[in-house]
Amino acid sequence: YSDVLPVDVSFYNAAKGCQDAGSKEMAFVFFNRFLDISDAIVDEEEIDEQDLEITDIPSVTTFELPKKCNVDEGTRSDVRDWALDAGMSNTISNDLPTRRCEKCQTKTYKAGVSCHSCRHAAPECIVTGWPVIGASASCHSCQSPARKEAWNAFVMKARVCPWCGVRASAVY
């Protein structure tokens, strides 16, 4: 949705969601990308895209940066402090988690639906947006795929398919 949502907000929200979920490595990488984009907006700096080369996340060169930052300076400062502390703590890796592509066996971003090397695409989970690899489930009505654990967690609470809204139950 980089053509609809401001890219700085998208990376900030992705990082914050990862941080809230306890995925500190992903939060660290996405917060740093958010800061790189914010700096590029303010100071017209180049953005190093090396940390996202193994992902299916679009390059910032594929869309226009906003004219101004969409996240306030206080929040950017808080993120900068968190990222600096995290980077210096040596407890958080600055690498995104990886998995082996089912087709070419190249290491690729764990949450990426398509392999950055061979472009093989796994089905996308309708609950998480992550690739459906291993244990899976699908809606009996719309056949939309999901990671089994995510499907079960969702339908145990909502009792409906997250895609089509039809009554659904856990898969065992």
Side-chain angles (χ1 to χ4, degrees):
Y1 299 101
S2 56
D3 58 335
V4 179
L5 300 173
V7 67
D8 55 339
V9 173
S10 297
F11 273 101
Y12 174 79
N13 288 338
K16 189 71 175 128
C18 290
Q19 184 184 45
D20 292 347
S23 298
K24 292 181 181 175
E25 285 81 10
M26 290 173 43
F28 182 72
V29 171
F30 294 148
F31 272 141
N32 275 308
R33 175 49 48 102
F34 159 73
L35 292 170
D36 290 345
I37 291 168
S38 296
D39 291 345
I41 293 168
V42 173
D43 302 327
E44 299 182 17
E45 293 181 7
E46 286 281 319
I47 297 175
D48 178 9
E49 304 217 59
Q50 188 174 355
D51 54 346
L52 298 181
E53 284 179 341
I54 64 162
T55 74
D56 54 359
I57 297 169
S59 165
V60 295
T61 62
T62 62
F63 48 86
E64 194 172 323
L65 291 178
K67 302 284 185 236
K68 65 177 186 71
C69 292
N70 293 286
V71 177
D72 66 85
E73 179 56 40
T75 301
R76 292 195 313 264
S77 180
D78 291 346
V79 168
R80 208 174 298 281
D81 291 345
W82 183 89
L84 186 60
D85 287 345
M88 293 179 66
S89 73
N90 293 327
T91 60
I92 297 176
S93 169
N94 63 349
D95 295 322
L96 289 171
T98 60
R99 63 176 172 83
R100 294 259 178 215
C101 170
E102 309 78 61
K103 185 175 181 186
C104 72
Q105 297 303 305
T106 300
K107 280 188 176 182
T108 194
Y109 175 45
K110 186 176 183 176
V113 174
S114 62
C115 172
H116 74 284
S117 179
C118 73
R119 300 290 178 221
H120 170 71
E124 185 173 348
C125 177
I126 59 172
V127 179
T128 64
W130 283 45
V132 177
I133 300 168
S136 65
S138 63
C139 174
H140 65 82
S141 179
C142 68
Q143 309 307 310
S144 294
R147 296 165 67 103
K148 185 177 178 182
E149 185 178 309
W151 171 266
N152 287 343
F154 185 89
V155 300
M156 291 296 285
K157 290 184 179 175
R159 305 259 190 251
V160 297
C161 169
W163 194 256
C164 69
V166 168
R167 186 158 180 75
S169 57
V171 176
Y172 298 99

